[in-house]
Amino acid sequence: MSNMLSKQQLAAILLELLERTAFHREQMQNYVNRMFESFKSDGVPYVECGKDTYIVRIYERGLVSLEKRVKQPDEVIYWLLEDSIFTATHVGLLERYGVDNKQTHLDYTNEVMNELNRGVQEAFQQIGDPYLHWHQTGKRQELEGMK
């Protein structure tokens, strides 16, 4: 018997986990809903559900820059959490500093990077394990590097 989850099931779990954080629900719904969009934004992981594996693709300028096959739903959920939490934290910093990174740019000083890392860490602490542990031990780099 397969433990594969549908995209809808993955999205529901993601939203449930993200509701534990301080991020606004509407913002998190937008990030989770990207899974269902036909347009593929740069740097965002997109998931396809196969028969016994998930295919995670990241696009750059319309081309696949990374494609990985993942068997465990928790690993896919973690990967999507990493992306959503980092993006939400980064957007929060852009808003706080009054920049848009198009016409005005954020100066990524050590202080700003520490704020970014602290915000991501706080969100994972609110979500808890196993995702907190995976975040702390570099699981995303493992997933992106696996063959």
Side-chain angles (χ1 to χ4, degrees):
M1 183 169 142
S2 175
N3 64 347
M4 294 291 295
L5 301 174
S6 69
K7 276 188 181 183
Q8 290 79 9
Q9 290 170 312
L10 290 171
I13 293 168
L14 277 169
L15 283 173
E16 180 183 312
L17 291 168
L18 290 166
E19 283 179 352
R20 298 178 188 175
T21 69
F23 299 117
H24 298 289
R25 180 179 172 82
E26 184 177 301
Q27 180 184 25
M28 293 298 98
Q29 284 179 314
N30 288 338
Y31 295 147
V32 171
N33 287 340
R34 294 187 299 194
M35 290 175 54
F36 304 101
E37 294 176 351
S38 57
F39 176 79
K40 307 302 185 206
S41 297
D42 286 352
V44 175
Y46 290 93
V47 179
E48 288 183 27
C49 301
K51 181 179 177 189
D52 62 352
T53 191
Y54 301 93
I55 303 165
V56 180
R57 290 187 181 103
I58 297 177
Y59 293 81
E60 295 293 334
R61 298 184 178 171
L63 300 174
V64 175
S65 64
L66 178 75
E67 179 176 298
K68 299 293 177 177
R69 297 186 185 285
V70 179
K71 294 219 179 253
Q72 299 302 317
D74 276 346
E75 291 181 335
V76 173
I77 290 165
Y78 164 73
W79 201 335
L80 298 170
L81 281 172
E82 273 281 347
D83 179 70
S84 296
I85 289 170
F86 178 85
T87 301
T89 304
H90 186 247
V91 167
L93 285 174
L94 294 176
E95 290 171 353
R96 186 168 347 140
Y97 286 98
V99 298
D100 61 12
N101 267 7
K102 292 177 185 171
Q103 295 179 6
T104 55
H105 299 281
L106 186 59
D107 184 9
Y108 292 95
T109 63
N110 284 339
E111 180 183 330
V112 168
M113 291 307 295
N114 286 337
E115 283 184 72
L116 181 61
N117 292 330
R118 198 168 34 253
V120 171
Q121 179 71 18
E122 286 173 12
F124 273 104
Q125 286 174 339
Q126 293 164 340
I127 291 172
D129 285 331
Y131 308 109
L132 171 61
H133 176 73
W134 289 351
H135 170 71
Q136 292 171 330
T137 58
K139 181 82 170 172
R140 183 169 181 172
Q141 289 80 10
E142 176 189 326
L143 290 170
E144 289 182 2
M146 68 184 192
K147 301 240 181 222

